[in-house]
Amino acid sequence: MREGGFHGFSFREIAADVGIKSASVHHHFPTKEDLAAAAARAYADRHMAALGDPDDPERAPADLIPLYVDLFRRALVEDRRMCLCGVLATEASALPPGVNAEARAFFERNLAWLESVVARAAPGARPRDIEAQALRIAAMLEGAMLVAHSLGDIDAFETAVLELSETLSLGSAKME
Amino acid sequence: MREGGFHGFSFREIAADVGIKSASVHHHFPTKEDLAAAAARAYADRHMAALGDPDDPERAPADLIPLYVDLFRRALVEDRRMCLCGVLATEASALPPGVNAEARAFFERNLAWLESVVARAAPGARPRDIEAQALRIAAMLEGAMLVAHSLGDIDAFETAVLELSETLSLGSAKME
DNA sequence: ACCTGAACACCGTTCAAGT
DNA sequence: ACCTGAACACCGTTCAAGT
């Protein structure tokens, strides 16, 4: 699913991997929508668990953005794959509603996490600017993964993302 | 294809639209790889033609980045769709080689165009920094489209991309 | 509760046959 | 050169039948 998207895998493949018949898979996940939504939800849960509490006073906000970048980097470098919800995002308009909802929830949870971190890093910033900065970070990471994945060039990810890890809140507080 | 990716459309659909049988489509495009590669190439050609010459002395580099941003904005707003090659990029590892090659070529052509514009805007910049800036612009636009498309919120694209149109070469010349 | 084989309408692809 | 119907192995889904 992370490689071929919603239509890039089949019930019969999964059944063969698990050692049952495809009709049996439908007993656990009645439709492909159910199965893909569950996979997206599990992916998002693991992703958010790896990020941890954005308001943890033990962790400086200046360390949390590099940690965020690193989570995406590892997904791309170690798995040599896109972000699952990034793949689903591009297919949004052709996805069953339940799958689309889980992909959207992934981004909403990511943005909420980033907004918490950016707010801590730039205490005086306006809510509007905090939201904008969170959106830019999430968009840059998904875009950097996407382009690097297409070019087959992991360095492209590093290059695109370098600015983010270096200068955390480039304009979050001082934006006009 | 822009909605469901490589597996999101069928020869039989296309045949019905055109008024022939699906076997006849194979006469023009022997395989789905041929058809999708041709579509990606045509998309990239139209895209690059809309951008025009990045070195045209009649057009200031400061005007060309907003023009670039606007091309992606219109794709998202008017068509309510992702960039075709952005969709294909996320499916890269599951794509037939010929399709993958055309998607990659789209990004290479975009990066070359952006590098020309950035080089004109920051004449003293090092090649390494010019490439990095071009990569960031392309990644930010694809990522902003992807996130906005998943959220179903076009304003998210505008917000993420605002910084790009405002301050063209934020760090292209002064990057360390 | 969990699994299965068989059937349904779909899919890309091939091919012999038509004009 | 362009089209077609028929066949192939695939796909998601359903369902009656098994344990």
Side-chain angles (χ1 to χ4, degrees):
Chain A
M1 199 160 145
R2 270 177 81 182
E3 289 178 346
F6 182 75
H7 292 103
F9 72 99
S10 74
F11 273 71
R12 283 168 174 87
E13 279 179 69
I14 291 174
D17 286 352
V18 174
I20 57 178
K21 298 297 171 186
S22 87
S24 309
V25 179
H26 285 277
H27 181 261
H28 303 277
F29 302 98
T31 65
K32 203 173 186 184
E33 173 174 10
D34 296 315
L35 195 156
R41 165 93 69 147
Y43 182 86
D45 286 346
R46 250 187 306 120
H47 179 87
M48 296 314 296
L51 291 176
D53 179 7
D55 293 316
D56 180 357
E58 304 278 310
R59 305 190 299 170
D63 295 334
L64 288 177
I65 298 296
L67 181 142
Y68 189 79
V69 172
D70 215 57
L71 188 58
F72 282 85
R73 173 186 291 118
R74 288 205 309 271
L76 185 68
V77 174
E78 291 176 12
D79 304 347
R80 295 203 165 271
R81 280 198 265 261
M82 260 301 281
C83 167
L84 172 60
C85 294
V87 179
L88 294 177
T90 66
E91 299 175 334
S93 42
L95 246 29
V99 184
N100 196 17
E102 291 299 340
R104 193 173 59 243
F106 171 84
F107 290 107
E108 281 162 357
R109 292 165 78 183
N110 271 267
L111 292 174
W113 191 92
L114 285 167
E115 285 164 15
S116 290
V117 174
V118 172
R120 284 177 66 206
R126 296 185 312 185
R128 227 202 156 294
D129 292 337
I130 292 174
E131 287 170 29
Q133 184 67 0
L135 208 42
R136 274 194 293 269
I137 295 172
M140 181 56 93
L141 281 166
E142 287 292 341
M145 284 189 93
L146 182 152
V147 174
H149 192 244
S150 181
L151 293 174
D153 176 11
I154 287 172
D155 283 346
F157 175 84
E158 306 291 358
T159 302
V161 137
L162 196 114
E163 199 180 49
L164 278 185
S165 340
E166 274 181 356
T167 61
L168 152 64
S169 49
L170 202 77
S172 72
K174 45 183 181 292
M175 259 191 66
E176 158 274 348
Chain B
M1 201 160 144
R2 271 178 81 181
E3 289 178 345
F6 181 74
H7 293 103
F9 72 98
S10 74
F11 274 70
R12 284 169 174 85
E13 278 178 69
I14 291 174
D17 286 354
V18 174
I20 57 179
K21 298 298 170 185
S22 88
S24 308
V25 180
H26 285 276
H27 181 262
H28 303 275
F29 302 97
T31 65
K32 204 174 184 181
E33 174 174 10
D34 297 315
L35 194 156
R41 165 93 69 150
Y43 183 85
D45 286 346
R46 249 187 305 123
H47 179 85
M48 296 314 296
L51 290 176
D53 179 8
D55 295 314
D56 180 358
E58 304 279 312
R59 304 189 299 168
D63 295 335
L64 288 178
I65 298 296
L67 181 141
Y68 188 79
V69 172
D70 215 57
L71 188 57
F72 282 87
R73 172 185 292 118
R74 287 204 308 271
L76 186 67
V77 174
E78 291 175 11
D79 304 347
R80 297 205 162 272
R81 279 198 265 260
M82 259 302 281
C83 166
L84 172 61
C85 293
V87 179
L88 294 177
T90 67
E91 299 175 332
S93 42
L95 245 33
V99 183
N100 197 16
E102 291 300 341
R104 192 172 59 244
F106 171 84
F107 289 108
E108 281 161 357
R109 294 166 76 183
N110 272 266
L111 291 173
W113 190 92
L114 285 167
E115 284 164 16
S116 291
V117 173
V118 173
R120 285 178 66 207
R126 297 184 312 185
R128 226 200 157 296
D129 292 337
I130 292 173
E131 287 169 29
Q133 184 66 2
L135 208 40
R136 273 195 292 272
I137 295 171
M140 180 57 93
L141 281 166
E142 287 292 340
M145 282 189 94
L146 182 152
V147 174
H149 191 244
S150 181
L151 292 175
D153 176 9
I154 287 170
D155 283 346
F157 175 85
E158 306 291 358
T159 302
V161 135
L162 196 116
E163 199 180 47
L164 280 183
S165 339
E166 274 182 357
T167 62
L168 151 64
S169 49
L170 201 75
S172 72
K174 45 182 180 293
M175 259 192 65
E176 160 271 352

